[in-house]
Amino acid sequence: MTGPTDKVDVEAQARRAEEFRSLHRGRILVLPNAWDVPSARVFEDAGFPAVATSSAGVMVSLGHRDGEGIGIQNYVSAVKRIASALSVPLSADVVGGFGDSPSEAASSVKAVITAGAIGINIEDFVHQTKKLLPVRRQVAKLEALVALKDSMKIPFVINARTDALRFGTGDDRAKLEEAITRGRAYRDAGVDCVYPMGLTEPAAISEYVEALSFPVNVMVRVGLPPIGELGRLGVTRVSFGPSASYAAMGLLARASREVLDKGTYQTLLEGAISFDQLNELATKRR
Amino acid sequence: MTGPTDKVDVEAQARRAEEFRSLHRGRILVLPNAWDVPSARVFEDAGFPAVATSSAGVMVSLGHRDGEGIGIQNYVSAVKRIASALSVPLSADVVGGFGDSPSEAASSVKAVITAGAIGINIEDFVHQTKKLLPVRRQVAKLEALVALKDSMKIPFVINARTDALRFGTGDDRAKLEEAITRGRAYRDAGVDCVYPMGLTEPAAISEYVEALSFPVNVMVRVGLPPIGELGRLGVTRVSFGPSASYAAMGLLARASREVLDKGTYQTLLEGAISFDQLNELATKRR
C-alpha cells in the first residue's frame, strides 16, 4: 500500500503525465482497461500506448463488487502493482473518489497518483443508491482534483464520467441533455476529458461532441461504432471499460462447458500463450 | 492475511476436506485451476465440484513470477480471497512449501488450510535452480504435512507433484523411471495423490498408473488425451494447471490485435458475460 511516507518522483511522473496527455491530441486514443498485472502487460505488448484500470475488473478480481467497498488502501495497492509492471502510462479509475467530500476525493486521487497512475476517471453517482450527485457537488470534487494537479506538480489527466444517460431522470432525450449539461459543467471545472457512460449511437455521439467542443471518451459495448467511425465523429478517446474481464470470464465459461460436456480442451488450448510468456507478464518488459 | 490468531472452524473444514477427498473415488475428478476470485467462481458456476488455484496464475496476476517470490503472506491472502468466495472445496498449490525445511513447509500449508483451502499441491524442485530436491528431503517435507493433517484434525488432500520428467537426469526413459521412483516414495510417505508434471502420452500414463497402483493427477496441455480416455487409463484426477490464464491472456492478445488492426471489437464482445454477471462473481453464490 502506498503510504503517506511514499515519495513520488515528481519529474518522472510529470513527464509520463505529459506523455499520456499528448495522446489526447491527434489520432483517437484507444485505451484498454486491465484488471490485473498480466492483463495490463498483454495490452502494453500488443502496442497500446497507454493502459487504464477497469475498477470493476480490478475489484471483482480481488473479491469485491464494483463500487468503493474494496477500500482505498486495497485499491491503491492494486493500482501500484499494475503501474509497477508497465512501461507505458497508466490511468486509474477512482469510482466516485472513495468518499463524499472534495477533500476525500483529492486524498484518494493523490494516493492513486502516488502509486504510479498519471490519469484518473471519476464518476458522478453513488453506487449504493444509483443516484447522480448534484452537479455542484461533483463540480466541487472536480475542482479539488484540478487544484491537486497543480499542488502535486503532476499534470495528470482528469476524465470526468457522467452517468446521466443511465441514472438521469426523464426520457432518453432528457437524459442526453442532462449528460450534456453535466459534461459542460465538468469541462468548465477544468477537467481534461468528459466521459458520458452509455453513449453509443452515432447521432448522439456527434451531438455530444459538438455540444461540448471538448475531448469526449466513449466505452466499448455492443452497438458502438468501429474506431474509424468514432474518429470521424470527433471522439477523442475510446476505452474498453470492463469488457476484457467480461470476455475472459465468457471464455472460461465456454472452456468449462467443453471440458464438462465433451471432455476436450480445445477452448483452453487454442490461441493460448505459454508458461514462459505468462511469467514474463508478471513484471516490466525487459 | 491469515494470522496466527485466525481461528479455523475445524469441523466445517474437516467436512469440506472429506467432501473433496471423496471426489477422488469413483469417476475421474476434473479440477479447474483459477487465478483469482471471478475465475474461480466461473468454474464453480459451470458445475465443477471443486476448484484449485494455479500458483503461476495467482502469482503473475499479482505481479510476481511463478515461484516463492510472492511471499507466503501475499499468497495466503490470495487463497483466502478465493476460498471465501467459493461454496465448493478449494485446493491450493503451495509451490515447494515456501521454505526449505519440513517445518517451514508445514507452517505454510497450515496457513493455507487456515485460509480456507482443504487440499494442497507441493513440488519437489527448487524454482531458482530448476533442480530436484533429494528424494529423502522431499519425503521429510511430505511426512511433516501428513503429521499436520492429523494435528489440525482436517483431512486435507495432499497432492505430491514431481518434476522428474522435466528436471530429472538422463533420457526420457530414465526420467520416467525417476518419476515413478519418486511417486512411490511420496505415496509411501502417506500422501493422497501423486502428480507427475509433464505426463501426457497414453502409454506413459498407463505405465505410471500401473507402477504406482495409486491416485495419479495429470495436467491439461497440448497432447493430453480427452477426459474419457484418461479415465480408461486409470487417471484419478486431471487439473488445468495455469491453462486458464494462458487462454485468457491469448484472448486479450487477439482482441488487442483486432482493435488495433481493424478497429472492431468482435473478440471482446462475442461470448462475453455482462456487468451484472461479473459483479456476481465477486462473492459467494447466493
Side-chain angles (χ1 to χ4, degrees):
Chain A
M1 166 63 200
T2 301
T5 58
D6 278 28
K7 289 269 281 182
V8 191
D9 182 341
V10 173
E11 280 188 26
Q13 282 278 86
R15 267 197 308 275
R16 179 153 300 196
E18 284 296 353
E19 182 187 342
F20 185 52
R21 183 169 288 276
S22 74
L23 296 171
H24 293 73
R25 297 186 284 267
R27 253 179 49 172
I28 187 168
L29 170 61
V30 185
L31 197 57
N33 299 71
W35 70 79
D36 66 1
V37 169
S39 54
R41 282 280 283 98
V42 163
F43 291 137
E44 178 180 313
D45 281 3
F48 290 102
V51 172
T53 65
S54 154
S55 57
V58 168
M59 289 165 185
V60 172
S61 170
L62 297 169
H64 298 273
R65 290 170 157 260
D66 189 27
E68 299 182 351
I70 188 174
I72 183 68
Q73 294 206 353
N74 283 331
Y75 188 66
V76 166
S77 295
V79 169
K80 191 174 184 176
R81 286 194 294 269
I82 297 172
S84 303
L86 290 177
S87 303
V88 295
L90 176 71
S91 181
D93 194 291
V94 296
V95 200
F98 290 90
D100 279 337
S101 67
S103 67
E104 281 172 304
S107 157
S108 301
V109 170
K110 187 173 183 179
V112 159
I113 300 298
T114 303
I118 44 59
I120 60 110
N121 278 11
I122 187 163
E123 300 169 350
D124 64 353
F125 76 103
V126 178
H127 270 261
Q128 290 90 329
T129 60
K130 309 289 179 210
K131 290 231 162 99
L132 294 173
L133 279 184
V135 180
R136 261 176 303 183
R137 279 187 57 197
Q138 185 67 6
V139 165
K141 273 194 189 179
L142 297 174
E143 287 172 343
L145 303 190
V146 172
L148 176 68
K149 195 159 67 164
D150 294 336
S151 75
M152 288 188 86
K153 295 187 172 53
I154 297 172
F156 58 83
V157 173
I158 302 173
N159 187 33
R161 169 170 155 178
T162 177
D163 281 66
L165 294 171
R166 296 167 73 204
F167 304 129
T169 49
D171 61 9
D172 286 355
R173 183 73 225 162
K175 287 178 181 171
L176 181 60
E177 278 167 14
E178 170 84 16
I180 288 172
T181 301
R182 285 177 173 260
R184 284 175 172 150
Y186 304 163
R187 173 196 69 191
D188 297 343
V191 306
D192 303 291
C193 192
V194 169
Y195 177 17
M197 173 56 64
L199 195 67
T200 50
E201 287 283 313
I205 292 173
S206 184
E207 179 176 350
Y208 201 88
V209 168
E210 280 171 32
L212 264 72
S213 295
F214 193 69
V216 169
N217 186 121
V218 298
M219 188 184 92
V220 170
R221 56 192 297 173
V222 175
L224 190 75
I227 307 282
E229 187 176 346
L230 293 176
R232 286 188 291 276
L233 292 170
V235 168
T236 293
R237 127 182 172 179
V238 51
S239 51
F240 284 12
S243 59
S245 294
Y246 305 160
M249 294 304 119
L251 175 77
L252 296 198
R254 287 194 301 284
S256 298
R257 280 194 299 272
E258 185 198 336
V259 171
L260 289 169
D261 295 349
K262 297 203 238 164
T264 53
Y265 329 103
Q266 201 178 335
T267 312
L268 273 180
L269 296 175
E270 217 171 62
I273 68 168
S274 69
F275 175 79
D276 288 341
Q277 286 172 321
L278 181 69
N279 234 354
E280 287 296 320
L281 296 176
T283 50
K284 259 203 162 77
R285 289 183 79 159
R286 304 194 214 194
Chain B
M1 164 66 199
T2 302
T5 58
D6 278 27
K7 291 268 280 181
V8 190
D9 182 341
V10 173
E11 280 187 26
Q13 282 278 85
R15 269 197 309 274
R16 181 152 300 195
E18 284 295 355
E19 182 188 342
F20 185 51
R21 183 169 288 276
S22 74
L23 297 171
H24 294 73
R25 297 187 285 266
R27 253 179 50 173
I28 186 168
L29 169 62
V30 184
L31 197 57
N33 299 71
W35 70 81
D36 65 1
V37 169
S39 54
R41 282 281 284 96
V42 164
F43 291 138
E44 177 180 313
D45 281 2
F48 290 102
V51 172
T53 64
S54 154
S55 57
V58 168
M59 289 165 185
V60 171
S61 171
L62 296 169
H64 298 273
R65 291 168 158 260
D66 189 26
E68 300 181 351
I70 188 175
I72 183 67
Q73 295 206 354
N74 282 332
Y75 187 66
V76 166
S77 295
V79 169
K80 190 173 186 178
R81 285 194 294 269
I82 297 172
S84 304
L86 289 177
S87 304
V88 294
L90 176 72
S91 181
D93 194 291
V94 297
V95 201
F98 290 90
D100 279 337
S101 67
S103 67
E104 282 172 304
S107 157
S108 301
V109 170
K110 187 173 184 180
V112 159
I113 300 298
T114 303
I118 44 57
I120 61 108
N121 278 10
I122 187 163
E123 301 169 348
D124 65 353
F125 77 102
V126 179
H127 269 261
Q128 291 90 329
T129 60
K130 308 290 179 210
K131 291 230 161 96
L132 294 173
L133 278 184
V135 180
R136 261 176 303 181
R137 281 189 55 198
Q138 185 66 6
V139 165
K141 272 193 187 178
L142 296 174
E143 286 170 344
L145 303 190
V146 172
L148 176 68
K149 196 160 67 165
D150 294 335
S151 76
M152 288 189 87
K153 295 187 171 52
I154 298 172
F156 58 84
V157 173
I158 303 174
N159 187 33
R161 169 170 155 178
T162 176
D163 282 67
L165 294 171
R166 296 167 73 205
F167 303 129
T169 49
D171 60 9
D172 285 356
R173 183 74 225 163
K175 287 178 180 168
L176 180 60
E177 279 166 14
E178 170 83 16
I180 289 172
T181 301
R182 285 178 171 259
R184 286 175 171 151
Y186 303 162
R187 173 196 69 191
D188 296 343
V191 306
D192 303 290
C193 192
V194 170
Y195 177 17
M197 172 56 63
L199 195 69
T200 50
E201 288 282 312
I205 292 174
S206 185
E207 179 177 349
Y208 201 89
V209 168
E210 280 171 32
L212 265 72
S213 295
F214 193 70
V216 169
N217 185 121
V218 298
M219 188 184 93
V220 170
R221 57 191 297 174
V222 175
L224 190 76
I227 307 284
E229 187 176 346
L230 292 176
R232 286 188 291 277
L233 293 169
V235 168
T236 293
R237 128 181 171 180
V238 51
S239 52
F240 284 13
S243 59
S245 295
Y246 304 160
M249 293 304 120
L251 175 77
L252 296 197
R254 287 195 300 284
S256 298
R257 279 195 299 273
E258 185 197 336
V259 170
L260 289 169
D261 295 350
K262 297 203 238 166
T264 53
Y265 329 104
Q266 201 179 335
T267 313
L268 272 181
L269 297 175
E270 217 171 61
I273 68 168
S274 69
F275 175 79
D276 288 340
Q277 287 173 320
L278 181 70
N279 234 352
E280 287 297 321
L281 296 176
T283 50
K284 259 202 163 78
R285 289 182 78 158
R286 306 192 212 196

